[in-house]
Amino acid sequence: MSSGLSRKQFDILVTLVNEKEAMSQRQLEERTKYSLGSINKTMKELNELGYVANGSITNAGVDALEPYRAKRAVFIAAGFGSRMVPITFNTPKPLVRVHGVRIIDHLIDACLQAGINEIYIVRGYLAEQFDQLLYKYPMIRFLENPVYNEANNISSSLVARYLLSNAYVFEADLLISNPAIIQKYHYSSDFLAIKKDRTDDWCFEVKDGIITEEKVGGTDCWQMVGISYWNEADGHRLSQDIPAVYQSPGGKERYWEQVPLVYAKEHYVVAVRECFEEDIVEIDTFRELKAIDKTYDV
């Protein structure tokens, strides 16, 4: 990273920028869970760098965070959503309404709240229906995936491959209830996941906070949530690795995140970022939709 902040410096600056007011070292200890000694030492460093003054972040401190800021969001929304039939016969899954609100709206709102205004949606199935979003979100730009019905979602990442630096990548059918999980600043590339004793779902093996393996099902692992963030360097690398994997034998069948986590994993160090069951719901089937929103249960 160009401004080269240490992890502790980064965490303290982000805490100060989020609070928008001066904080005592005791408050910082409480908020960051670092020891008072660590806070004291790091605040001294930040004061010397001119990033902090009188317990508040300075303009120089905000500038130092700039390389770590999420600048854009890419939504992968081209698929058919076959497990949500019959509702997806006429409506792409991200546009299905739950309690009157489209699934994707919660995600877009969370991005806007985090200051991410550059928003791209990769569309395919019933593509023109996504135009309805422009009334509420005129800043959206659309990318067309012409092969969505003959390739897996790696084909959507191929269309968006030059937009993945300082970027969130979302599966567009996740229903989030806690917008705070979408954060403005990231120290490294990361993937959201939920700590599980056991799961049959896609999950990660994690060591020292870093994802070491992606697999289906496991015990004492992290269940994958389809929301990830990619820093500048990793975004550039993805723009080369995605086409390479896509063009390899069987490449079209891959899920897009298998590029950095499986097929080109030696190029990436991806952290896990914890979220919780109550933050997010993946509605996979029509039955699950009916359980959440009774208006469908007719």
Side-chain angles (χ1 to χ4, degrees):
M1 280 294 180
S2 45
S3 63
L5 295 171
S6 73
R7 180 78 215 211
K8 285 176 183 165
Q9 290 172 344
F10 170 84
D11 288 339
I12 287 173
L13 287 177
V14 169
T15 305
L16 291 172
V17 87
N18 288 340
E19 280 303 315
K20 300 183 177 63
E21 58 181 43
M23 292 179 82
S24 70
Q25 297 200 357
R26 185 74 66 199
Q27 288 170 308
L28 284 167
E29 177 194 27
E30 214 167 90
R31 194 61 55 86
T32 63
K33 305 290 182 250
Y34 290 131
S35 71
L36 210 48
S38 280
I39 301 277
N40 191 344
K41 179 173 177 286
T42 310
M43 283 297 273
K44 215 177 247 152
E45 295 163 2
L46 291 169
N47 268 297
E48 282 164 15
L49 289 163
Y51 295 163
V52 166
N54 307 318
S56 290
I57 190 167
T58 62
N59 289 338
V62 175
D63 289 346
L65 284 174
E66 184 60 17
Y68 304 88
R69 183 170 66 82
K71 297 188 172 68
R72 59 189 64 85
V74 174
F75 288 86
I76 290 183
F80 170 49
S82 53
R83 288 187 293 173
M84 284 276 277
V85 163
I87 197 88
T88 45
F89 279 145
N90 333 336
T91 309
K93 191 175 166 190
L95 300 179
V96 169
R97 289 179 185 268
V98 180
H99 303 304
V101 181
R102 292 171 301 219
I103 290 173
I104 199 172
D105 284 31
H106 295 285
L107 291 168
I108 296 172
D109 290 343
C111 287
L112 296 175
Q113 201 175 306
I116 304 164
N117 304 315
E118 198 183 315
I119 292 170
Y120 300 87
I121 294 177
V122 184
R123 59 184 182 175
Y125 174 65
L126 298 178
E128 65 293 338
Q129 288 206 20
F130 285 91
D131 289 348
Q132 62 180 270
L133 291 169
L134 293 170
Y135 294 106
K136 186 176 171 188
Y137 306 110
M139 78 293 293
I140 287 174
R141 286 173 251 181
F142 295 113
L143 304 168
E144 314 298 333
N145 177 353
V147 296
Y148 71 91
N149 57 356
E150 60 195 62
N152 223 319
N153 72 8
I154 188 173
S155 59
S156 288
S157 70
L158 187 69
V159 173
R161 67 188 180 276
Y162 297 121
L163 299 166
L164 302 179
S165 281
N166 294 93
Y168 264 105
V169 178
F170 292 93
E171 287 174 19
D173 57 359
L174 299 166
L175 186 65
I176 70 166
S177 45
N178 177 12
I181 63 176
I182 307 309
Q183 294 178 350
K184 186 171 188 169
Y185 297 105
H186 295 255
Y187 193 67
S188 64
S189 297
D190 58 53
F191 231 107
L192 275 174
I194 300 166
K195 190 89 182 74
K196 290 280 201 175
D197 293 331
R198 76 171 319 117
T199 178
D200 302 326
D201 222 321
W202 286 91
C203 60
F204 304 135
E205 290 285 333
V206 171
K207 186 168 188 257
D208 301 328
I210 302 299
I211 296 169
T212 56
E213 188 193 344
E214 182 192 31
K215 59 184 187 173
V216 179
T219 54
D220 188 27
C221 58
W222 293 76
Q223 185 173 306
M224 177 178 132
V225 171
I227 299 177
S228 55
Y229 176 81
W230 303 91
N231 67 22
E232 188 175 14
D234 288 346
H236 287 308
R237 225 167 275 135
L238 283 166
S239 70
Q240 297 157 5
D241 288 341
I242 289 166
V245 173
Y246 186 76
Q247 286 149 16
S248 69
K252 288 184 178 181
E253 303 308 309
R254 310 284 176 232
Y255 292 104
W256 95 267
E257 84 284 343
Q258 291 177 302
V259 176
L261 298 180
V262 181
Y263 296 103
K265 69 192 265 185
E266 68 281 0
H267 297 166
Y268 303 88
V269 177
V270 185
V272 77
R273 193 158 67 83
E274 186 168 20
C275 66
F276 302 92
E277 298 278 358
E278 55 271 20
D279 294 331
I280 195 152
V281 183
E282 191 169 356
I283 305 176
D284 273 332
T285 62
F286 188 54
R287 198 162 93 214
E288 289 170 9
L289 177 65
K290 288 194 291 190
I292 288 172
D293 186 341
K294 301 291 182 236
T295 54
Y296 290 102
D297 202 0
V298 285

